[in-house]
Amino acid sequence: MRILAIGDIMGKPGRQALAHFLPSLRVEFAPDVVLINGENAAGGFGLTEKLYHQFIDQHEIDCITMGNHWHDKREFVRFAEQAERMVLPANMMNVNDPRKAVRVLRSKSGKNFAVMNVIGKTFMHADNLSPFLHLEKMLDLIPQHVKVRILDIHAEATSEKQGVAQHLVGRVSLVYGTHSHVPTADERILDGKTGFITDVGMTGPYDSVIGVRKEAAIRRLMTGEKKNFQPASNNRWLCAVVADIDEDTGCCTKIQRLRCEVPDRPDDGPEEKDD
Ligand SMILES: [Fe+2]
Ligand SMILES: [Fe+2]
């Protein structure tokens, strides 16, 4: 079973990169399952119902994972209750429910798989609960016969992502990090069982500071003032991993990192107001 897991979609540039590359990636890799992280998809902050449907219905994404920005669009919070193809970070205080963080789904090729989402504690919001404790409850929610188990660990600290992955070796098929918006080059298979990468990287504009317009980000770093915090426009990359999972054992047999760059056209002007 082949999984294509795509990192944080950042605003319109991220959505453009997804639309640009997904059709050809489907042809080249023939994934059974396509996952995206959607926490920044709407103007860099959160997700909307409209974009959720665009991803699920038009792009045929199998499941959307989220992160600390999941609730940024207030009107989305109510909709999230009924979004069957989305997982929220179980251990965020405003989620705190393993059932909202696990989805057992069936691919179009008729194969069962589970998707999970947790958030880190280190260098993150002080209220975040232990991902380790929540993961035990989440794994209990997955039927024994579902061997393909995938986790998006949305965390700042590389050490915490690696610690969670090493703790889960042999119990989860694929653990991939999101949130830093920077891809790491350490994709590997832990103990011959669990596919892992510390961070998949952002799908969005890299002529930026982690996706945000350079000028605004530099001003924030220099003065603390948060103004015009919007997605940048140029150097749009799609970052992802492709992982093969043995459906009988749940073990990862191959993991490959992808970085695809949209050719920027000279007339690509600044980002207009996003939705
Ligand atoms: Fe993000
Ligand atoms: Fe995040």
Side-chain angles (χ1 to χ4, degrees):
M1 185 169 186
R2 181 164 285 175
I3 315 297
L4 172 62
I6 299 172
D8 309 40
I9 307 282
M10 182 72 182
K12 187 183 277 186
R15 300 190 322 258
Q16 289 168 335
L18 180 74
H20 187 90
F21 286 114
L22 189 55
S24 55
L25 290 174
R26 284 194 190 276
V27 171
E28 185 177 351
F29 292 100
D32 296 286
V33 169
V34 180
L35 309 172
I36 60 166
N37 183 294
E39 71 147 3
N40 307 110
F45 300 94
L47 185 59
T48 62
E49 187 174 341
K50 182 179 151 196
L51 288 177
Y52 172 90
H53 285 298
Q54 206 176 88
F55 289 135
I56 300 298
D57 303 334
Q58 291 174 29
H59 291 303
E60 300 189 357
I61 301 299
D62 292 279
C63 191
I64 302 173
T65 62
M66 294 296 274
N68 50 301
H69 289 291
W70 81 266
H71 57 111
D72 283 359
K73 300 281 184 278
R74 292 291 157 202
E75 66 280 7
F76 185 73
V77 173
R78 185 186 293 264
F79 173 74
E81 295 285 332
Q82 66 202 55
E84 290 178 358
R85 288 187 176 269
M86 183 177 70
V87 282
L88 301 178
N91 54 320
M92 268 181 83
M93 196 55 120
N94 62 10
V95 178
N96 197 8
D97 185 349
R99 290 167 303 174
K100 293 179 182 169
V102 181
R103 293 285 179 267
V104 177
L105 300 166
R106 186 179 283 254
S107 70
K108 289 189 185 65
S109 47
K111 299 168 182 173
N112 291 319
F113 63 99
V115 184
M116 298 176 280
N117 195 192
V118 291
I119 201 158
K121 273 180 75 71
T122 308
F123 309 135
M124 298 193 83
H125 202 287
D127 281 349
N128 291 350
L129 303 158
S130 167
F132 292 92
L133 294 179
H134 271 74
L135 276 161
E136 297 302 329
K137 297 176 204 158
M138 291 156 71
L139 288 168
D140 284 346
L141 295 174
I142 303 173
Q144 277 300 319
H145 71 272
V146 178
K147 300 293 185 196
V148 178
R149 299 165 171 214
I150 305 159
L151 171 66
D152 175 349
I153 163 117
H154 193 82
E156 188 74 35
T158 49
S159 55
E160 190 170 18
K161 292 187 224 190
Q162 295 194 8
V164 166
Q166 295 285 10
H167 180 69
L168 294 174
V169 162
R171 293 195 285 164
V172 173
S173 314
L174 172 66
V175 179
Y176 64 97
T178 57
H179 177 73
S180 80
H181 290 201
V182 179
T184 58
D186 62 335
E187 72 278 9
R188 62 199 189 274
I189 301 174
L190 306 176
D191 252 2
K193 294 172 181 165
T194 299
F196 175 67
I197 186 167
T198 300
D199 205 297
V200 176
M202 169 182 70
T203 289
Y206 277 75
D207 183 20
S208 68
V209 175
I210 61 167
V212 172
R213 289 181 185 187
K214 290 176 285 190
E215 300 74 15
I218 292 167
R219 190 188 306 117
R220 169 94 188 270
L221 290 164
M222 290 177 72
T223 68
E225 184 190 7
K226 192 172 180 180
K227 209 168 139 187
N228 296 325
F229 243 56
Q230 289 164 17
S233 311
N234 293 329
N235 288 7
R236 292 163 293 174
W237 303 358
L238 178 146
C239 289
V241 288
V242 179
D244 290 345
I245 314 290
D246 182 318
E247 295 139 54
D248 296 326
T249 63
C251 290
C252 182
T253 56
K254 187 179 176 189
I255 182 166
Q256 179 184 352
R257 177 166 43 94
L258 298 181
R259 175 180 139 185
C260 312
E261 300 184 25
V262 181
D264 278 328
R265 299 182 307 271
D267 62 346
D268 272 353
E271 175 84 350
E272 67 272 27
K273 183 133 178 43
D274 217 330
D275 54 356

